[in-house]
Amino acid sequence: MRRVFFLLTTFAIFMILIVGGGIYWWSGSRVTEVERDAATTVVNAVALTLSEQIDLLNRTLNKMAQDPDVLIAVTSADPALIITVAEKLEKYFPDALKIRLLLPGVSQLDEKTAPRMGFADLDMVRETLTNNQPPGIQGYAGADRHLAMTRRIMVNNQVVGVILASLNYDFFNKSIEAAAVKDGYIELRQAQLVLGSSGKRVDTWQSESLQKKVAGTNWDIFYYYPGGVALSEIILMVSAIFIALLLVILASFIGYLRISGLIVQDLSMVLTAFEDMMTRKPLGSYPVNLTETRVIITALVKFKRVQVHNNDKAIVNGGLVMEFDEQASEKNEFKGLVTDTDDDIKEPKKY
């Protein structure tokens, strides 16, 4: 019986481990899929918001490049008029720090007004003469760092000048913080330069990451989030499986002790009934616990009754045989006398 309980307990433990492992694998894959979908949604939302804001700024610059005052100032090449028109544009451009109207062939830097125009801005202006450039963060950290955007000023399909807009880029952080990242870390990069970030860095062995390029820019969004099942959830699941295993082992041990005690009691009753039957004692009451043992007791009682009935019948049948033997003996003696008499009668007498 110990072997039976051991096998049953082992099988139950094995099944619990299989079921628990299957649930963990299935839930882990589902959690990973859900978390990745959520991370993709967040990244796409931030990228779409930034791209729309940049698109709005680009459309504003396009309209400025077609403004009659701008065209007159650039074509006149009057420095005073150019500065006046540029200052006028600053009032109508959102988050403008400085707007400059530059002529083709410009080679001098503007370091008098903040944010200062650096070599990166100058290179960007020169490249814009050939083709419009995507926006970029220029300047050293501090008051000179700005979002630089450029647009060509065209007259009769000829480039007559360039608008260089130095803008505040605080809306980057506002857009990223609007995503309300809690369990993860999101940041906006231009190459290795971090332009904005939100959340907390994920330093777990199950961390995952997503990368998304912002349309119309040279910026990338990186989103780091915890992948798979969290450590607390793993501990909870392992604890549940462990508790289930302990309950199975405890139930098996208690069941083994209980059934062993019942079997010992029933076997004692079976032996008592068998002893009473062998010693020809009157059968009494033999209470048992198990149905299987009750069947044995019933069979012994029936066997005892059949045995007693056969013994009684044998005694009765034995008395009848003895009586019949006595009658047959008397009949044989009588028949012998009759035979002798007949012989005497049939034999002729001699005179």
Side-chain angles (χ1 to χ4, degrees):
M1 188 176 67
R2 291 182 179 179
R3 182 175 299 178
V4 173
F5 269 88
F6 177 77
L7 293 176
L8 291 176
T9 304
T10 303
F11 179 76
I13 293 174
F14 184 68
M15 292 302 297
I16 290 174
L17 292 176
I18 291 178
V19 173
I23 293 175
Y24 170 74
W25 175 81
W26 180 82
S27 61
S29 61
R30 291 294 298 171
V31 168
T32 301
E33 182 179 353
V34 170
E35 288 181 347
R36 186 170 186 84
D37 292 341
T40 303
T41 302
V42 171
V43 171
N44 290 338
V46 175
L48 180 60
T49 301
L50 291 175
S51 63
E52 288 181 348
Q53 290 176 330
I54 295 299
D55 183 63
L56 177 61
L57 296 177
N58 284 328
R59 284 182 290 168
T60 304
L61 282 178
N62 289 334
K63 290 183 178 181
M64 286 184 175
Q66 299 172 3
D67 188 274
D69 294 337
V70 173
L71 296 177
I72 293 173
V74 173
T75 55
S76 66
D78 184 358
L81 182 59
I82 290 176
I83 294 174
T84 301
V85 173
E87 291 176 351
K88 179 181 177 181
L89 293 177
E90 292 176 4
K91 299 178 181 179
Y92 301 103
F93 200 94
D95 297 325
L97 300 176
K98 184 67 179 177
I99 292 182
R100 296 178 174 92
L101 299 179
L102 305 174
L103 301 177
V106 60
S107 60
Q108 293 181 353
L109 301 179
D110 181 9
E111 297 183 346
K112 297 179 180 180
T113 57
R116 290 179 294 181
M117 177 181 170
F119 287 101
D121 294 316
L122 183 59
D123 292 338
M124 188 174 181
V125 169
R126 290 173 177 175
E127 292 175 358
T128 304
L129 294 174
T130 304
N131 189 19
N132 286 327
Q133 298 297 307
I137 302 299
Q138 311 286 10
Y140 295 102
D144 290 331
R145 178 156 293 180
H146 59 278
L147 170 62
M149 299 184 69
T150 58
R151 271 299 177 274
R152 291 182 295 178
I153 302 173
M154 307 288 292
V155 175
N156 297 326
N157 294 327
Q158 292 183 354
V159 180
V160 295
V162 175
I163 298 178
L164 173 61
S166 300
L167 309 176
N168 190 342
Y169 60 96
D170 288 342
F171 65 90
F172 288 172
N173 278 329
K174 293 179 181 178
S175 299
I176 294 176
E177 290 175 358
V181 177
K182 295 182 179 178
D183 299 329
Y185 177 75
I186 187 171
E187 64 182 13
L188 178 67
R189 295 183 190 175
Q190 177 179 288
Q192 299 300 321
L193 178 62
V194 178
L195 307 180
S197 62
S198 177
K200 296 181 179 179
R201 288 190 175 273
V202 180
D203 296 326
T204 62
W205 60 278
Q206 284 188 322
S207 62
E208 300 287 344
S209 63
L210 284 177
Q211 182 177 355
K212 177 76 174 180
K213 186 175 182 59
V214 179
T217 68
N218 292 325
W219 306 329
D220 294 298
I221 297 175
F222 292 86
Y223 184 34
Y224 302 91
Y225 63 96
V229 183
L231 181 60
S232 59
E233 296 177 352
I234 294 176
I235 295 175
L236 181 62
M237 187 172 295
V238 171
S239 299
I241 295 175
F242 182 72
I243 292 174
L245 294 176
L246 289 180
L247 291 176
V248 168
I249 295 174
L250 181 61
S252 299
F253 180 72
I254 295 175
Y256 170 76
L257 294 179
R258 178 62 178 169
I259 294 178
S260 298
L262 296 177
I263 290 176
V264 169
Q265 295 177 5
D266 288 2
L267 288 178
S268 177
M269 288 298 169
V270 171
L271 292 176
T272 301
F274 185 76
E275 182 180 357
D276 293 345
M277 186 183 69
M278 296 301 296
T279 57
R280 299 180 180 275
K281 292 182 179 180
L283 296 179
S285 176
Y286 306 99
V288 293
N289 301 294
L290 303 177
T291 303
E292 291 76 7
T293 313
R294 188 176 295 108
V295 172
I296 298 174
I297 295 294
T298 304
L300 288 176
V301 172
K302 289 182 179 180
F303 180 76
K304 178 65 175 179
R305 292 175 180 174
V306 171
Q307 185 181 29
V308 171
H309 178 72
N310 290 337
N311 290 337
D312 294 341
K313 185 175 180 181
I315 293 173
V316 173
N317 291 338
L320 293 175
V321 169
M322 291 177 61
E323 182 179 356
F324 289 156
D325 289 342
E326 291 177 358
Q327 292 179 359
S329 177
E330 293 178 357
K331 185 176 180 180
N332 288 336
E333 292 178 359
F334 177 76
K335 287 175 63 178
L337 293 175
V338 172
T339 300
D340 292 341
T341 305
D342 291 341
D343 291 340
D344 292 342
I345 294 173
K346 292 180 179 179
E347 184 179 355
K349 295 181 179 181
K350 298 179 181 182
Y351 295 98

